[in-house]
Amino acid sequence: MAELEEVNFSDLLQHPNKTVERLKATRGRALRVHRRGSEDDLILTTAARAIQDGELVEVAGRVLRAVMSNPAVRSHHLLDILPQVFPWIRFLTTDDRVAFAQELIDVMDASEDLGSPAPVLQLINQWRHTAEIYADPELLAALRAETLDDFGAVAEPVE
């Protein structure tokens, strides 16, 4: 995502019309509203833009579902383009690539129903970590080892 123009929350409160004019100057993108003393900034956008963004995500989900429902298209096209979107997918096995694509679509559907993108982002992160394991031969070998010895007592965490 491109860098957004930033405004302070106090500017929004004290100069709302000026802030809306700054939003208009972004040509419908958005403003990042920084709140001092908070780790969570806000995004200010128009309702029309938020609706468009939601519709675009819905269309992308439909396209993915349509591609995944056709085995020939899935195997010849989707699995060929996924590495452009997720370069780390190259480290997954072919079966895992298919499983990731199907799971991605399923979780996108469920997330849309919940109105939250968090499960989709969590799924992507989990599969990325799986790819990291496949990409590291030593780690993969350690995790595939049949037995692990007991490494003894673990020290108390230092706070």
Side-chain angles (χ1 to χ4, degrees), residues 73-149:
V73 173
R74 176 180 62 220
S75 63
H76 289 89
H77 298 291
L78 181 62
L79 296 177
D80 291 339
I81 63 171
L82 276 178
Q84 294 174 34
V85 180
F86 305 107
W88 47 262
I89 201 173
R90 290 174 175 88
F91 296 108
L92 297 176
T93 65
T94 301
D95 288 344
D96 281 345
R97 289 179 193 188
V98 172
F100 166 66
Q102 187 60 58
E103 223 177 312
L104 180 62
I105 292 164
D106 294 344
V107 172
M108 286 175 73
D109 282 343
S111 292
E112 184 181 334
D113 194 49
L114 292 175
S116 172
V120 176
L121 298 173
Q122 179 181 354
L123 176 78
I124 292 168
N125 214 17
Q126 290 168 339
W127 275 104
R128 182 185 346 236
H129 290 313
T130 301
E132 288 171 356
I133 292 168
Y134 279 116
D136 184 337
E138 289 179 23
L139 181 57
L140 184 60
L143 292 173
R144 284 186 170 167
E146 289 203 22
T147 59
L148 293 177
D149 292 331

Side-chain angles (χ1 to χ4, degrees), residues 54 58 80 118 152 154:
E58 186 179 332
D80 291 339
V154 176

Side-chain angles (χ1 to χ4, degrees), residues 1-15:
M1 185 174 187
E3 279 294 314
L4 296 177
E5 185 177 338
E6 190 171 303
V7 297
N8 289 322
F9 189 68
S10 59
D11 291 335
L12 174 62
L13 294 175
Q14 294 171 4
H15 310 287

